[in-house]
């Protein structure tokens, strides 16, 4: 019969059995087990994928094998790096920073006025639930094909989640804490800097974390509406058209690594800033 | 009935004022009223409250919930504004006194900032009030000693027990040398043993510093043990029903609570609470 | 009698207070929305002034400065002040850079209500038709994604292996822009003969799957140790614990993650409509509009998508309100 497929299925079964044994065994609470079990599961899926594509001779235009994707990835490092710089560094990252700063500034403004807060917060919540990527064609028209229009899409996409979370965070202090500042006759800015901003940090970082993924999605999807001849979204849409799926998967691999590294970085900064929060405390 | 009580209470108050006429008046309330507007209509939190507190007094406010004891303390601190009558703190309005940083306030919960160490929590009011760095350090060292927390300045609040956190919050209130200390059920959330210990420490601290203390509690033994005067209050509307001068000496070991004198005062407080129909529901 | 009158009075008071509270909540929102629309109109002037001046010049008007090249490099705001007679023209162009709100409203009406009145609600030029195409893919995908997500969550909560092996990947997948695979799914499925609704629904399902899984795992784990211990003292079975404790306590999480999943499913369907050559659906309208510079059409499609999202999330919110109220969990 089909040896390759058979072996890959056998590997999956064996790995699963090993996982069951490890998850119910004595060392189940150890950090090493917690790391090995999901890794083994991921590896067995990869092996199965490889086995199916090789064993059943699935054409590369439908689903390329992981090994083929990895080869393409290594062979095209130059192109991938160029696309990464264009889409992630120039588009997503600059838009993310501008959007975050703008949202933070507006949040301070909104927070200072009760009327603005009650008016803008529902609107902001509403906007955060909308398919904002849809504005990409408009912004591409306004700001041109290059990364500026992608950054503009990202600005709009990350703006509302960060705004809503920051405003909510600034209100997170309880009455007792604000009364305490009143008994010290603290000014608005003293209360803001010493009490409300630190207390808002967990909320702000929540918005910042949600926005990392949105930034990357915005930058990639905006390139579907027109871009210079580089960029991850551009590459994905053109290579899909040419049915060069191994290259598409290689771009997706880059996007996955960039996305989780970006999220991981923001989460790391969060753990430094909000070390005091119950969810971050190390025992 | 209500008017009769008011009359009685005014009499006993005048007597109290005369007895302590020697030291200067710190807090004086005259015909104080406070009505909250709520969705269920107006609620009278304070009605016709008359009270004089002199320098160095330790005054406890006791009564069931809703009797206005916390509200009165908050009015003194300018956290609430009365709707009638007059109140002065150090001869000023409460708002002016607040801006002069006339008092330290200790809340029911310690309310320490989790992102600041104990020492930096105590520095918080000092930073806001513009003390120099050297002064800040000096004050922190002194008050940490005062509440018996030396060596814990570098810890974060969540690394300490509840009793230690509450002591740190008292240290924070003491840090800027206000003459008045307002405490709103500061030990309410702690267990009996820790509470006894902190009561002893608080008395010692009061004796040493000569501060004027306003102390809200719903524990009769705590009120009797700590206070030079006990203000008994009653709800709906919140009002004073009795003011009891303590006859206990200034020096009070814990076992003073077993003496007949102590029990007699506690009995009078309990009677006062009952007279206010405190438990009719 | 008096009691009844009193009760009525009390109820009247409650209704009055409710109305007052509602208007107190509504007034700021209305003011903010009005301010946004006003700003929008103001923005139209500098955005569209150059095109308006070019057209006016062609019609024979005298423009300052007269040279088109000079105008191209001039600041838009300066042009507005020097040619203030032509401001009106910035609100009525055929292909403005920024259409005015009433133009978008007009286009929305022309392609929806007006079409219905003319009995052509489902013609290819009707936004109702395109919204329907997007809606059906969204809802189908959302249903698949939600069912699969809940099933996986139940598995994760009850199996230690699944929790250890799968949960880290489900969480990590939320940090990855999975939307990027949408064009590939569409094209590959097209190439093996699957077209139309299914590919888009699969993208929607995939996008709503992970938020629902993660949210439901959190929800099913929300009962605290004391509540679980109580059921242990009754020696309740795993399935009894599930039906009587875990599932009811997960409901607030369930609805919240469904809202996120629905919004994600809609984005998936819209993006899924783009690479197939812009045949049908709101995404296709966006792409077609951007090809032909039909800005008003883009904005109308954008608003249709926004309305669709609001309605879908609103429906979930309404069900959430009723369910949680019945379960006594409403705040």
């Amino acid at each position: 019969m089909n040896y390759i497929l058979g072996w890959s299925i056998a590997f999956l079964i064996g790995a699963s059995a090993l996982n069951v044994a490890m998850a119910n065994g004595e060392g189940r609470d150890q950090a090493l087990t917690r790391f090995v079990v999901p890794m083994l599961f991921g590896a067995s899926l990869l092996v199965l994928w490889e086995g199916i594509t090789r064993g059943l001779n699935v054409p590369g235009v439908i689903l390329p094998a992981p090994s083929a994707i990895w080869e393409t990835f290594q062979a095209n490092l130059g192109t991938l790096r160029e696309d990464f710089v264009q889409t992630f560094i120039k588009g997503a990252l600059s838009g993310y920073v501008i959007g975050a700063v703008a949202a933070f500034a507006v949040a301070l403004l909104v927070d200072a006025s009760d009327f603005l807060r009650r008016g803008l917060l529902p609107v902001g919540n509403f906007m955060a639930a909308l398919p904002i990527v849809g504005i990409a064609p408009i912004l591409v028209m306004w700001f041109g094909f290059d990364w500026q229009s992608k950054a503009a899409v990202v600005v709009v996409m990350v703006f509302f989640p960060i705004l809503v979370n920051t405003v909510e965070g600034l209100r997170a202090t309880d009455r007792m804490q604000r009364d305490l500042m009143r008994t010290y006759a603290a000014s608005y800015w003293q209360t803001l800097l010493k009490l409300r901003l630190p207390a808002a940090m967990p909320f702000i970082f929540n918005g910042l974390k949600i926005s990392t993924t949105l930034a990357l999605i915005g930058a990639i999807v905006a390139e579907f509406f027109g871009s210079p001849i580089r960029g991850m979204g551009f590459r994905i849409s053109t290579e899909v058209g040419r049915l060069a799926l191994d290259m598409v998967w290689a771009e997706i691999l880059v996007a996955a690594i960039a996305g989780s590294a970006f999220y991981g970085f923001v989460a790391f900064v969060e753990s430094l800033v909000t070390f005091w929060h119950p969810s971050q405390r190390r025992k | 009935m209500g008017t009769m009580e008011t009359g009685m209470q005014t009499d006993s108050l005048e007597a109290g004022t005369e007895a302590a006429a020697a030291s200067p008046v710190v807090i004086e309330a005259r015909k104080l009223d406070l009505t909250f507007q709520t969705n269920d209509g107006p609620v009278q939190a304070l009605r016709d409250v008359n009270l004089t507190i002199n320098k160095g007094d330790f005054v406890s406010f006791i009564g069931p919930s809703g009797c206005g004891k916390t509200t009165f303390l908050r009015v003194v601190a300018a956290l609430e504004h009365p709707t009638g009558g007059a109140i002065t703190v150090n001869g000023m309005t409460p708002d002016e006194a607040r801006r002069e940083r006339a008092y330290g306030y200790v809340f029911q919960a310690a309310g320490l900032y989790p992102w600041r160490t104990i020492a930096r929590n105590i520095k918080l009011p000092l930073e806001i009030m513009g003390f120099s760095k050297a002064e800040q350090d000096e004050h922190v060292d002194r008050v940490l000693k005062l509440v018996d927390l030396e060596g814990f300045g570098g810890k974060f609040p969540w690394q300490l027990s509840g009793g230690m956190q509450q002591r740190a919050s008292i240290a924070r209130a003491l840090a800027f040398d206000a003459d008045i200390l307002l405490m709103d059920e500061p030990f309410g959330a702690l267990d009996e043993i820790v509470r006894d210990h902190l009561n002893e420490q608080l008395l010692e601290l009061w004796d040493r510093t000569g501060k004027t203390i306003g102390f809200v509690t719903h524990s009769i033994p705590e009120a009797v043990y700590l206070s030079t005067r006990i203000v008994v209050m009653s709800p709906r509307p919140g009002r004073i029903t009795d003011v009891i001068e303590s006859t206990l000496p200034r020096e009070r070991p814990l076992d003073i609570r077993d003496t007949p004198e102590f029990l007699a005062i506690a009995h009078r407080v309990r009677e006062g609470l009952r007279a206010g129909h405190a438990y009719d529901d | 009698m008096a009691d009844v009158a009193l009760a009525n009075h009390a109820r009247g008071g409650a209704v009055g207070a409710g109305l007052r509270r509602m208007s107190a909540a509504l007034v700021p929102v209305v003011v903010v929305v009005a301010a946004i629309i006003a700003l929008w109109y103001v923005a139209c002037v500098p955005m569209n002034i150059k095109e308006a001046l070019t057209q006016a010049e062609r019609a024979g008007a005298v423009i300052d400065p007269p040279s088109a090249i000079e105008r191209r490099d001039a600041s838009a705001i300066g042009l507005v002040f020097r040619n203030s007679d032509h401001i009106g023209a910035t609100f009525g162009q055929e292909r403005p850079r920024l259409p005015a709100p009433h133009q978008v409203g007009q286009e929305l009406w022309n392609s929806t209500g007006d079409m219905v009145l003319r009995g052509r609600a489902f013609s290819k030029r009707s936004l109702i038709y395109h919204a329907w195409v997007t809606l059906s893919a969204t809802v189908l995908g959302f249903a698949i994604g939600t069912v699969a997500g809940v099933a996986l969550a139940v598995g994760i909560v009850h199996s230690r292996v699944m929790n250890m092996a799968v949960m880290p990947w489900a969480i990590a997948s939320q940090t990855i822009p999975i939307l990027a695979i949408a064009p590939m799914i569409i094209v590959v499925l097209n190439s093996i003969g699957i077209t139309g609704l299914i590919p888009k629904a699969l993208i929607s399902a995939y996008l709503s799957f992970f938020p629902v899984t993660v949210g439901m795992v959190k929800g099913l784990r929300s009962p605290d140790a004391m509540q679980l211990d109580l059921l242990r003292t009754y020696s309740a079975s795993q399935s009894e614990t599930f039906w009587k404790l875990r599932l009811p306590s997960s409901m607030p999480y369930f609805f919240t993650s469904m809202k996120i999943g629905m919004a994600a499913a809609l984005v998936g369907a819209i993006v899924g409509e783009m690479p197939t050559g812009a045949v049908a659906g709101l995404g296709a309208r966006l792409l077609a509009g951007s090809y032909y510079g039909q800005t008003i059409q883009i904005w109308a499609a954008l608003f249709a998508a926004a309305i669709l999202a609001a309605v879908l999330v609103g429906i979930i919110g309404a069900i959430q309100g009723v369910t949680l109220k019945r379960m006594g969990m409403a705040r």
Side-chain angles (χ1 to χ4, degrees):
Chain A
M1 259 225 13
N2 197 320
Y3 291 110
I4 303 179
L5 183 59
W7 278 114
S8 67
I9 292 175
F11 183 83
L12 178 71
I13 294 170
S16 303
L18 191 59
N19 268 347
V20 171
M22 277 197 287
N24 296 313
E26 264 177 38
R28 67 190 180 204
D29 292 326
Q30 283 173 10
L32 184 67
T33 322
R34 283 177 188 284
F35 177 76
V36 168
V37 170
M39 283 299 145
L40 197 57
F41 175 69
S44 61
L45 284 190
L46 272 184
V47 169
L48 184 69
W49 178 354
E50 184 84 28
I52 289 174
T53 46
R54 298 238 159 166
L56 300 180
N57 281 322
V58 177
V61 294
I62 289 178
L63 186 65
S67 56
I69 295 169
W70 181 241
E71 272 166 35
T72 313
F73 179 83
Q74 285 178 310
N76 293 286
L77 276 179
T79 315
L80 291 173
R81 185 178 304 122
E82 193 190 7
D83 292 345
F84 170 78
V85 170
Q86 171 76 14
T87 303
F88 184 78
I89 308 284
K90 289 184 182 168
L93 210 54
S94 60
Y96 181 83
V97 171
I98 296 170
V101 171
F104 183 73
V106 173
L108 288 187
L109 215 71
V110 169
D111 174 73
S113 143
D114 192 49
F115 187 83
L116 262 185
R117 186 178 55 72
R118 282 186 296 153
L120 261 175
L121 209 56
V123 176
N125 266 319
F126 177 71
M127 294 295 284
L130 296 187
I132 296 186
V133 270
I135 60 157
I138 295 162
L139 293 179
V140 169
M141 235 176 254
W142 288 355
F143 295 98
F145 276 1
D146 210 347
W147 62 270
Q148 289 88 346
S149 61
K150 317 305 178 282
V153 173
V154 175
V155 167
V156 182
M157 282 190 76
V158 303
F159 181 81
F160 292 101
I162 299 178
L163 173 72
V164 170
N165 276 287
T166 307
V167 171
E168 201 180 322
L170 286 173
R171 287 169 46 77
T173 51
D174 58 35
R175 187 169 107 152
M176 195 191 83
Q177 289 173 313
R178 288 195 302 273
D179 279 348
L180 182 69
M181 294 305 268
R182 256 182 77 82
T183 68
Y184 300 151
S187 69
Y188 168 81
W189 287 103
Q190 284 173 327
T191 310
L192 184 70
L193 283 178
K194 294 193 189 297
L195 168 62
R196 299 173 64 221
L197 267 186
M201 278 304 158
F203 292 80
I204 296 175
F205 272 98
N206 191 27
L208 288 175
K209 283 194 294 189
I210 295 170
S211 296
T212 57
T213 325
L214 290 177
L216 212 47
I217 289 173
I220 292 175
V221 172
E223 288 180 5
F224 296 165
F225 290 95
S227 71
I229 52 161
R230 56 179 179 276
M232 292 154 77
F234 164 79
R235 195 77 56 201
I236 288 174
S237 57
T238 50
E239 299 292 331
V240 162
R242 290 172 39 204
L243 289 178
L245 291 196
D246 47 348
M247 189 60 188
V248 177
W249 279 104
E251 283 295 349
I252 289 169
L253 180 62
V254 175
I257 295 171
S260 27
F262 191 13
Y263 184 95
F265 175 75
V266 174
F268 172 70
V269 176
E270 177 189 27
S271 73
L272 295 184
V273 174
T274 65
F275 65 93
W276 47 269
H277 194 261
S279 66
Q280 302 282 355
R281 283 177 206 159
R282 304 257 183 284
K283 269 160 259 160
Chain B
M1 177 73 181
T3 33
M4 260 178 65
E5 266 179 17
T6 316
M8 252 171 60
Q9 150 208 340
T10 316
D11 287 344
S12 66
L13 254 173
E14 296 307 329
T17 315
E18 274 160 36
S23 39
V25 172
V26 174
I27 297 166
E28 182 158 43
R30 282 283 162 257
K31 292 187 184 300
L32 204 62
D33 281 305
L34 176 53
T35 307
F36 289 117
Q37 297 299 335
T38 71
N39 282 338
D40 305 327
V43 171
Q44 256 198 325
L46 292 174
R47 190 171 79 185
D48 196 23
V49 169
N50 296 290
L51 188 67
T52 306
I53 297 178
N54 298 307
K55 187 166 172 44
D57 276 359
F58 196 129
V59 181
S60 283
F61 299 84
I62 190 165
S65 53
C67 72
K69 54 192 192 299
T70 294
T71 308
F72 181 73
L73 215 62
R74 291 174 64 83
V75 169
V76 175
L79 295 173
E80 307 286 357
H81 295 281
T83 46
I87 180 163
T88 59
V89 178
N90 284 345
M92 299 173 275
T93 68
D95 248 326
E96 286 164 350
R98 179 172 66 87
R99 267 180 243 119
E100 295 283 320
R101 281 120 182 185
Y103 59 85
Y105 203 105
V106 180
F107 292 88
Q108 246 164 324
L112 300 164
Y113 293 179
W115 55 85
R116 283 173 171 248
T117 60
I118 296 298
R120 291 201 57 228
N121 262 294
I122 297 171
K123 278 182 192 171
L124 174 74
L126 304 173
E127 288 169 16
I128 289 169
M129 296 171 190
F131 283 75
S132 74
K133 281 264 179 295
E135 281 175 308
Q136 290 179 18
D137 290 333
E138 183 206 314
H139 283 235
V140 168
D141 284 346
R142 201 193 59 220
V143 292
L144 276 178
K145 221 169 283 171
L146 220 49
V147 298
D148 222 3
L149 276 179
E150 290 160 289
F152 288 96
K155 293 273 187 208
F156 283 96
W158 32 276
Q159 295 168 324
L160 302 186
S161 69
M164 287 165 104
Q165 288 184 26
Q166 198 53 279
R167 259 147 62 196
S169 91
I170 294 170
R172 182 178 59 184
L174 293 171
F176 49 98
D177 286 333
D179 288 331
I180 308 170
L181 196 54
L182 302 174
M183 307 177 88
D184 181 6
E185 292 187 43
F187 309 137
L190 304 175
D191 68 55
E192 197 76 22
I193 297 164
V194 177
R195 199 178 201 174
D196 279 353
H197 182 58
L198 290 183
N199 278 343
E200 249 185 319
Q201 282 189 314
L202 180 62
L203 264 188
E204 196 187 315
L205 194 141
W206 168 70
D207 193 37
R208 232 186 307 164
T209 56
K211 289 191 191 299
T212 312
I213 298 182
F215 190 96
V216 167
T217 179
H218 50 224
S219 152
I220 296 175
E222 188 172 64
V224 177
Y225 176 66
L226 291 173
S227 322
T228 55
R229 287 163 76 202
I230 301 154
V231 177
V232 182
M233 297 181 77
S234 152
R236 281 174 302 252
R239 62 197 188 277
I240 295 177
T241 48
D242 197 4
V243 177
I244 301 161
E245 296 286 335
S246 176
T247 50
L248 296 176
R250 223 179 143 86
E251 189 79 11
R252 297 175 188 180
L254 266 180
D255 50 24
I256 201 170
R257 294 182 298 184
D258 301 327
T259 61
E261 207 180 352
F262 184 97
L263 294 176
I265 300 171
H267 181 74
R268 199 178 147 195
V269 174
R270 191 168 290 116
E271 287 298 308
L273 287 171
R274 237 178 238 160
H277 301 286
Y279 302 111
D280 59 359
D281 45 355
Chain C
M1 272 300 269
D3 281 356
V4 174
L6 204 68
N8 274 339
H9 177 77
R11 205 175 305 139
V15 169
L19 276 179
R20 235 173 298 132
R21 232 171 292 143
M22 234 172 78
S23 69
L26 218 58
V27 169
V29 177
V30 170
V31 171
V32 164
V33 170
I36 290 173
I37 293 176
L39 268 179
W40 184 350
Y41 269 112
V42 172
C44 281
V45 178
M47 287 294 279
N48 300 332
I49 190 76
K50 286 180 189 175
E51 183 60 27
L53 293 180
T54 311
Q55 280 173 10
E57 193 179 37
R58 267 188 220 133
V62 179
I63 306 296
D64 174 31
S67 131
I69 297 160
E70 254 180 80
R71 282 207 301 273
R72 196 172 53 190
D73 300 328
S75 97
I77 295 176
L79 283 176
V80 171
F81 281 110
R82 281 195 274 178
N83 301 283
S84 50
D85 322 346
H86 297 284
I87 287 178
T90 58
F91 301 126
Q93 291 167 0
E94 205 176 316
R95 292 179 182 186
R97 286 184 75 197
L98 176 61
H102 68 265
Q103 289 180 294
V104 178
Q106 186 68 41
E107 169 74 14
L108 265 177
W109 169 250
N110 285 347
S111 51
T112 55
D114 192 41
M115 290 289 212
V116 175
L117 292 183
R118 287 192 281 145
R120 298 175 55 206
F122 282 85
S123 99
K124 288 223 164 187
R125 299 184 57 185
S126 156
L127 262 186
I128 298 179
Y129 164 73
H130 292 287
W132 169 252
V133 169
T134 305
L135 175 72
S136 47
T138 304
V139 171
L140 178 63
F142 169 76
I144 298 171
T146 303
V147 170
V150 171
L152 183 62
V154 172
I156 286 175
V157 169
H158 285 103
S159 150
R160 201 195 304 276
V161 192
M162 280 183 79
N163 178 33
M164 287 178 85
V166 181
M167 197 55 191
W169 294 108
I171 293 172
S173 73
Q174 295 209 298
T175 69
I176 295 171
I178 27 182
L179 195 59
I181 65 166
M184 188 172 58
I185 292 183
I186 299 287
V187 170
V188 166
L189 289 181
N190 268 350
S191 74
I192 57 171
I194 303 173
T195 56
L197 184 66
I198 301 295
K200 287 188 285 175
L202 281 180
I203 296 169
S204 292
Y206 196 56
L207 284 179
S208 52
F209 170 67
F210 289 109
V212 172
T213 306
V214 174
M216 266 316 262
V217 168
K218 222 186 241 174
L220 292 172
R221 288 211 178 122
S222 63
D224 59 33
M226 202 180 71
Q227 290 170 311
L228 286 168
D229 282 347
L230 180 70
L231 284 184
R232 280 177 72 133
T233 66
Y234 304 153
S235 55
S237 69
Q238 261 206 352
S239 76
E240 280 167 334
T241 307
F242 178 79
W243 291 110
K244 293 194 193 303
L245 177 60
R246 286 191 191 275
L247 194 65
S249 6
S250 74
M251 280 302 125
Y253 297 82
F254 180 53
F255 283 108
T256 305
S257 51
M258 276 211 293
K259 283 185 194 165
I260 299 169
M262 185 61 101
L266 182 61
V267 172
I270 289 175
V271 173
E273 281 158 357
M274 288 173 180
T276 45
V279 190
L282 294 175
R285 289 286 279 192
L286 283 176
L287 198 64
S290 109
Y291 280 162
Y292 303 114
Q294 295 285 359
T295 42
I296 302 182
Q297 181 190 320
I298 299 180
W299 281 88
L302 203 55
F303 270 81
I307 293 166
L308 201 57
V311 169
L312 290 174
V313 174
I315 290 174
I316 298 177
I319 300 174
Q320 173 180 27
V322 173
T323 313
L324 293 192
K325 200 167 181 188
R326 279 198 158 185
M327 295 174 68
M329 292 165 109
R331 274 168 293 168

